[in-house]
Amino acid sequence: MIKQAIIPLAGLGTRLLPLTSVFAKELLPINGKPGIQYILDECKEAGIKEVVFIISKKKQMIKNYFYNDNFYKKIINKKKDPRIIKEYKQILKYKKMIKFVYQNKPRGTGDAVLKTKKYIRDKFFLMLLPDDLIIKKNCSKSMIKIHNRYKSSVMASMNVNKKTVSRWGIFKLSKKLDRNNYLIKDVIEKPSIASAPSNKAVIGRYILPKEIFSKLSKQKPGKGGEIHITDAIQSLINENSKFIAHNFSGKYLDCGSMNGYIKSTLEIAKS
Ligand code: G1P
């Protein structure tokens, strides 16, 4: 069973400037709710019991959001507003599930994952990238089902416009397992259009094996000088570790860019 999830939250959010100049992008409201809460709701509904947040000193605001008990207690004592009481109870529930680790230098997603090593107990764990919202269908829940069926690692996949392949991790697939699931032959971080093996992109949901940590501790920086989870996954695939690409059926919203962020608010409001 997958019971633990990790969420990298140390990113600077430059694509959302100026909103992120003083504010954590994951706390920006999407239709009246911080983006991170959609991710936590997805985890909880998928049966996750513990979540490790990878933050940085600059993103301390995220921890403060969940650790503001005295403030809430005072307000609730005075006002007894049922809406605030309900919201506070929800925050408290999540607070109990969350552990924090720090990544103070932006060395990439792979480096962020490595920081969680001491907390991961089980053979497999889930990772969610908070810029990638998936609505209408719980992608993590579907991926956990696939993991349970095939006992392997799983990554979310979506067809993208060929012109945009250099923005994503891109798969080369091998065998089709069933309607929406394929074995992964290769995964390449942000290839050029000419070298991309397909237009099937990695979207930010991963079920990873614990062995990823030993690969990450030896991983050299890749594209853009960062340590990529994609490269560590490729090392495991090279050693015959089984990874499945899951064509998810929910709707993907890119909340990490200004256009996508604005669109996601509209999409969620009408859903
Ligand atoms: C990360 C991954 C990339 C993946 C993307 C999905 O890139 O490195 O492989 O396709 O998330 O959103 P980033 O968005 O951090 O540039």
Side-chain angles (χ1 to χ4, degrees), residues 240-257:
N240 292 324
S241 177
K242 203 160 103 184
F243 275 75
I244 293 173
H246 170 61
N247 255 329
F248 61 93
S249 46
K251 186 170 175 56
Y252 166 70
L253 304 169
D254 173 14
C255 296
S257 71

Side-chain angles (χ1 to χ4, degrees), residues 100-132:
F100 292 85
V101 294
Y102 286 81
Q103 182 199 27
N104 287 321
K105 292 198 179 113
R107 288 200 184 115
T109 310
D111 178 63
V113 174
L114 193 53
K115 306 281 184 212
T116 67
K117 186 179 171 190
K118 62 175 184 230
Y119 284 125
I120 300 300
R121 293 180 300 270
D122 303 333
K123 272 188 175 171
F124 289 89
F125 59 97
L126 173 71
M127 170 164 79
L128 305 94
L129 301 185
D131 283 358
D132 296 352

